[in-house]
Amino acid sequence: MHAAAATKLLLVFVFTSMVIIPHASSLRFHYINHHNLTTKTSTTSSSTSAHRSRDRRPSFALVRRDAVTGATYPSPRHAVLDLVSRDNARAEYLASRLSPAYQPTDFFGSESKVVSGLDEGSGEYFVRVGIGSPPTEQYLVVDSGSDVIWVQCKPCLECYAQADPLFDPASSATFSAVSCGSAICRTLRTSGCGDSGGCEYEVSYGDGSYTKGTLALETLTLGGTAVEGVAIGCGHRNRGLFVGAAGLLGLGWGPMSLVGQLGGAAGGAFSYCLASRGGSGSGAADAAGSLVLGRSEAVPEGAVWVPLVRNPQAPSFYYVGVSGIGVGDERLPLQDGLFQLTEDGGGGVVMDTGTAVTRLPQEAYAALRDAFVGAVGALPRAPGVSLLDTCYDLSGYTSVRVPTVSFYFDGAATLTLPARNLLLEVDGGIYCLAFAPSSSGLSILGNIQQEGIQITVDSANGYIGFGPATC
């Protein structure tokens, strides 16, 4: 097979219905050129088209974490080790946060005012948002599991270092403090009043980080569009590893997230596309992808739609129903209900852009790994790298043959991933399978597996769409 043809096979991902997948005896493979694992291309889909409007909606360029912090590494391996370390912390946080036994931690003692009840972690992607009038540009962490928007504010009694100057509410003509008796304040589950009668908020995080300050209504400039009266936290006491960000932009499935507050203005929908690592572009910021708010631009043509699953114990997180996993054309023999959300809020499959490597229950991971290893045959193995235990040395190959991996969703939809969403380059032609076992029954669909796919979250109607556009 010619190299050009091999590359083309690599760069196609397919969305199909389970009922039309042929039950062939041979596995489905992609031929990959490891030098081109992150090239951007178009895709195809067999699904029916959805309406797309030409109306403009707020859109952002996504910026990777290292582009904001300016972090540099002596080698790609060091960068991957740092990523894996953060990834482990994020996955453990989610396993704790989404456990039926979870209890919110009170870092502030009996002096607490308003506690949102939502513990989130910092993420891997940032956006540029204008705060106030005139707008002060700030980097905010994008978190699809958060129900809160907040920024560090002057006067800051306790703040961590950020890339931009602190936001000064006194310099904004549109900053308006929220009273403690308002409906917005009560939305944060418990009411609390400061000395001036203003609504005070607190959000605590699983690693001991927190933000504490006043709740206010403010104008946010989102992709060039000014949106008035958005409820944000103005943090005067903040602690944590927020890596240069001024705060957090919550996109979770709740009333205080940005999508929840915009309501009809955004159509209850947002879309994002994460560019493949090392993709073409002039820099890390150019290669990170995009975020679009609103139904008109967000709903892609030809998307495969999967129902969202709501966890009453963690209602801000987006879960999907997965019934099984396949390698090639072979569905793995796993116990029924392995990926189901339990009645007490345990298990399930959560979408998370802050986690890179997809986590699966131990049984599912072992079956996927063994099937993948058996399918690739005699490719030379390489030592594992931290939690990445299945690695290969492809430095001596122009192209190699690897199987696809498919997720079978409840309702008969199938997402089949190409090789670029399966393997993570560690260093010098060393590639590792980008899946790992979960420390609990929780599964996490990570950002490596989401790369290159336009993903639409329609929270108003309770669906998530995959593809087919790429970034």
Side-chain angles (χ1 to χ4, degrees):
M1 178 174 291
H2 296 296
T7 302
K8 183 175 181 181
L9 283 173
L10 156 69
L11 297 170
V12 174
F13 64 88
V14 183
F15 297 93
T16 63
S17 169
M18 288 174 58
V19 297
I20 64 172
I21 294 176
H23 296 283
S25 59
S26 60
L27 296 176
R28 183 193 297 174
F29 290 84
H30 282 166
Y31 283 86
I32 69 171
N33 181 327
H34 77 83
H35 299 294
N36 295 320
L37 271 174
T38 54
T39 304
K40 298 182 288 183
T41 66
S42 61
T43 64
T44 59
S45 171
S46 60
S47 301
T48 58
S49 297
H51 175 68
R52 180 196 295 267
S53 169
R54 294 183 179 180
D55 293 342
R56 297 294 298 171
R57 301 292 181 182
S59 62
F60 309 83
L62 291 173
V63 182
R64 292 193 196 278
R65 175 191 182 108
D66 289 346
V68 175
T69 64
T72 58
Y73 301 94
S75 71
R77 179 179 289 267
H78 285 85
V80 170
L81 287 172
D82 190 34
L83 171 66
V84 168
S85 177
R86 298 194 307 268
D87 214 48
N88 276 331
R90 174 70 175 182
E92 288 303 312
Y93 157 72
L94 287 177
S96 172
R97 172 64 184 87
L98 302 176
S99 166
Y102 171 77
Q103 293 292 330
T105 302
D106 181 6
F107 291 100
F108 307 100
S110 61
E111 297 298 319
S112 295
K113 304 297 184 182
V114 177
V115 180
S116 74
L118 299 170
D119 293 333
E120 340 295 346
S122 59
E124 294 292 313
Y125 294 92
F126 296 64
V127 290
R128 200 79 168 144
V129 175
I131 312 292
S133 302
T136 300
E137 294 289 316
Q138 306 273 276
Y139 279 116
L140 301 183
V141 172
V142 175
D143 194 339
S144 60
S146 173
D147 224 13
V148 180
I149 308 165
W150 63 267
V151 295
Q152 296 195 116
C153 289
K154 290 183 178 181
C156 204
L157 304 177
E158 180 185 11
C159 280
Y160 58 85
Q162 64 177 58
D164 299 300
L166 289 172
F167 171 64
D168 185 358
S171 67
S172 173
T174 50
F175 183 89
S176 176
V178 171
S179 68
C180 65
S182 68
I184 296 175
C185 193
R186 291 194 298 271
T187 301
L188 290 174
R189 289 181 171 63
T190 58
S191 59
C193 297
D195 295 337
S196 62
C199 180
E200 295 192 354
Y201 81 97
E202 295 174 5
V203 181
S204 60
Y205 296 81
D207 62 356
S209 304
Y210 61 78
T211 176
K212 177 178 181 178
T214 58
L215 194 68
L217 299 180
E218 183 57 287
T219 296
L220 301 187
T221 301
L222 310 169
T225 301
V227 181
E228 300 176 349
V230 180
I232 68 169
C234 190
H236 300 295
R237 291 185 181 273
N238 315 284
R239 177 184 297 172
L241 301 175
F242 293 100
V243 295
L248 186 142
L249 186 70
L251 295 176
W253 200 358
M256 292 298 288
S257 75
L258 180 60
V259 177
Q261 290 194 58
L262 293 178
F270 67 94
S271 174
Y272 61 90
C273 196
L274 309 178
S276 297
R277 296 167 194 273
S280 60
S282 59
D286 295 326
S290 60
L291 168 69
V292 181
L293 300 175
R295 183 171 307 280
S296 296
E297 281 288 321
V299 178
E301 297 177 2
V304 168
W305 293 98
V306 176
L308 288 167
V309 178
R310 197 150 204 170
N311 183 352
Q313 305 304 317
S316 286
F317 289 84
Y318 298 107
Y319 285 75
V320 290
V322 172
S323 59
I325 297 178
V327 175
D329 275 338
E330 300 293 332
R331 185 165 179 148
L332 300 178
L334 302 173
Q335 64 173 305
D336 292 340
L338 185 61
F339 300 104
Q340 286 185 356
L341 185 67
T342 62
E343 291 185 0
D344 61 358
V349 181
V350 67
M351 302 281 296
D352 186 48
T353 58
T355 304
V357 176
T358 286
R359 301 309 204 277
L360 300 172
Q362 180 65 50
E363 175 190 341
Y365 172 70
L368 182 148
R369 177 197 59 205
D370 293 348
F372 186 90
V373 170
V376 300
L379 287 178
R381 295 292 295 267
V385 179
S386 185
L387 83 161
L388 306 175
D389 62 10
T390 305
C391 302
Y392 297 89
D393 183 355
L394 305 183
S395 58
Y397 291 78
T398 300
S399 64
V400 295
R401 185 172 178 257
V402 299
T404 59
V405 170
S406 299
F407 287 89
Y408 303 119
F409 294 104
D410 295 345
T414 301
L415 168 61
T416 299
L417 301 173
R420 68 169 180 225
N421 294 62
L422 308 180
L423 300 170
L424 176 65
E425 184 175 16
V426 176
D427 197 7
I430 304 298
Y431 288 84
C432 298
L433 186 65
F435 293 81
S438 173
S439 62
S440 67
L442 176 70
S443 297
I444 307 170
L445 187 54
N447 62 49
I448 293 176
Q449 282 64 45
Q450 298 179 43
E451 287 177 355
I453 305 171
Q454 185 174 354
I455 296 176
T456 301
V457 179
D458 185 353
S459 57
N461 294 305
Y463 281 85
I464 187 166
F466 293 93
T470 60
C471 55

